[in-house]
Amino acid sequence: MFMSRRDFVVSTSLAAALGLNAKLAISPAFAQKTPDPAKGFLTYKIGDAEVTALYDGIWEKTHDPAFIINASIDDVKAAMVKAGLPPDFVSIPFTVVVVKNGGKTILCDSGTGGQVQPTAGKMMANMNAAGIDPAKIDTILISHFHPDHIFGLMEKGTNAPVFPNAEIVVSDVEYKFWTDPSVFDRLNEARKGLAKRIQTVFPTWKNIRQVSGEPEVAPGIRFVNAPGHTPGHRAFHLSSGASQLMISNDTAYVPALVVANPGWHGQYDQDAPLAEASRRKLLDRVIADKVLICGYHCPFPGAGMISKDGDGYALTGIKA
Ligand SMILES: [Zn+2]
């Protein structure tokens, strides 16, 4: 997902221009309607591996006809209601997963770092509450380079590394796409700042490892090719004994919309037909293998089972 802070900035500067107390002036616009989970972390087992879901926050996205290219706002509202969610905005939670397996602690994506939406940035507090020491994270797997997945790697303002001692594993396709000097010719205006930040920061870090294909990238975890959302988007497949978890990341990013309607094309899918093909392939795989799936934007704690439902799919979530 890619989102802008422009509205927030405009509200703040407008308040300043009017001589208002900025906090009071902007708070109604950002009053969060969805309550945060009472406990912002949940630990469960996949074989011998321990998985902890960490809640980072939620984006209550204003409806926009451009968001789903081939569905109307009324269709989107109906899909939200069918999933038991409020119709007046699109619920886009952020949930990061930590896996402890084989003596290693592995962070799957890095959260928003409090730099994407004013209602997100709670991952570190919830990591702390879960008793996970950020300094002891050995490996960080990155699904793709959208802000909500990588800004948690970089301190706000300085870009200093938040996890300097961890190895950061990324798809070589994704890395090459965003660091190519000519990428600016292929990006819309809204994404150029993101590419600039990536090109300013990542090449200066020595702890990024690029990998090709679908190798084992941490104990029991393999990359799974799932391109389309971005060119090098990857899911992560965790296996321990007879148990498996498909960490799907943004393959089916708002399940109320694109699990139920896999043919809907989102504006943040860079290559929407390819994203749809990756989505169907991954959802068919977890049904065939009868394995648990989790997703970065699924309702917290973000894990459940997929089944076929008419022309689409259904997600039955586990409860916190
Ligand atoms: Zn995302």
Side-chain angles (χ1 to χ4, degrees):
M1 307 292 298
F2 181 85
M3 52 215 74
S4 162
R5 286 177 61 91
R6 192 185 313 138
D7 295 343
F8 180 65
V9 171
V10 167
S11 300
T12 309
S13 51
L14 182 66
L18 296 173
L20 298 172
N21 176 311
K23 194 160 188 275
L24 276 177
I26 64 170
S27 58
F30 287 95
Q32 187 180 312
K33 298 179 188 76
T34 312
D36 284 343
K39 196 177 86 173
F41 66 94
L42 179 81
T43 299
Y44 53 99
K45 296 290 288 251
I46 298 292
D48 292 332
E50 186 185 282
V51 178
T52 301
L54 301 175
Y55 178 76
D56 188 46
I58 188 166
W59 181 26
E60 296 176 335
K61 187 183 184 309
T62 306
H63 286 294
D64 173 355
F67 183 53
I68 300 293
I69 296 155
N70 53 349
S72 69
I73 287 180
D74 283 346
D75 290 339
V76 168
K77 285 182 178 174
M80 299 310 294
V81 170
K82 197 173 170 210
L85 293 163
D88 38 331
F89 50 84
V90 181
S91 297
I92 306 180
F94 308 97
T95 298
V96 181
V97 161
V98 176
V99 178
K100 289 188 178 175
N101 196 31
K104 299 289 186 191
T105 301
I106 304 127
L107 180 65
C108 299
D109 284 329
S110 72
T112 62
Q115 299 164 60
V116 174
Q117 285 293 312
T119 46
K122 297 162 183 165
M123 181 194 80
M124 281 300 207
N126 286 323
M127 188 185 286
N128 212 20
I132 298 166
D133 180 353
K136 300 236 169 78
I137 288 169
D138 298 289
T139 306
I140 304 172
L141 308 179
I142 294 295
S143 64
H144 66 295
F145 287 5
H146 280 174
D148 49 326
H149 299 256
I150 62 165
F151 279 5
L153 298 172
M154 302 175 248
E155 294 286 0
K156 191 176 177 180
T158 65
N159 288 334
V162 175
F163 303 96
N165 301 320
E167 179 180 63
I168 300 167
V169 185
V170 305
S171 146
D172 59 346
V173 174
E174 189 75 358
Y175 191 93
K176 285 184 176 68
F177 174 80
W178 290 101
T179 56
D180 182 341
S182 68
V183 72
F184 298 97
D185 302 337
R186 298 190 292 280
L187 292 174
N188 63 34
E189 281 306 315
R191 296 202 180 201
K192 287 183 179 172
L194 170 64
K196 188 157 187 291
R197 191 176 190 194
I198 290 167
Q199 295 194 6
T200 303
V201 176
F202 282 2
T204 69
W205 288 2
K206 304 282 178 254
N207 57 333
I208 296 181
R209 178 162 67 100
Q210 298 178 53
V211 299
S212 303
E214 301 185 316
E216 185 171 25
V217 284
I221 306 181
R222 306 188 82 88
F223 269 10
V224 177
N225 289 339
H229 186 66
T230 62
H233 180 274
R234 298 290 179 262
F236 313 141
H237 178 259
L238 168 65
S239 173
S240 175
S243 300
Q244 300 174 44
L245 172 68
M246 183 63 80
I247 303 166
S248 65
N249 303 320
D250 280 10
T251 310
Y253 51 97
V254 182
L257 303 181
V258 300
V259 168
N261 306 282
W264 282 9
H265 291 175
Q267 92 185 105
Y268 300 122
D269 286 338
Q270 195 166 325
D271 180 338
L274 183 60
E276 180 188 339
S278 291
R279 180 154 58 236
R280 290 181 183 277
K281 187 177 171 192
L282 197 87
L283 296 178
D284 287 340
R285 175 175 166 179
V286 298
I287 291 171
D289 294 348
K290 299 188 177 64
V291 302
L292 204 61
I293 188 171
C294 69
Y296 199 79
H297 302 294
C298 292
F300 185 81
M305 297 294 290
I306 296 285
S307 56
K308 282 293 278 180
D309 182 14
D311 293 335
Y313 303 86
L315 170 71
T316 311
I318 60 170
K319 302 289 179 211

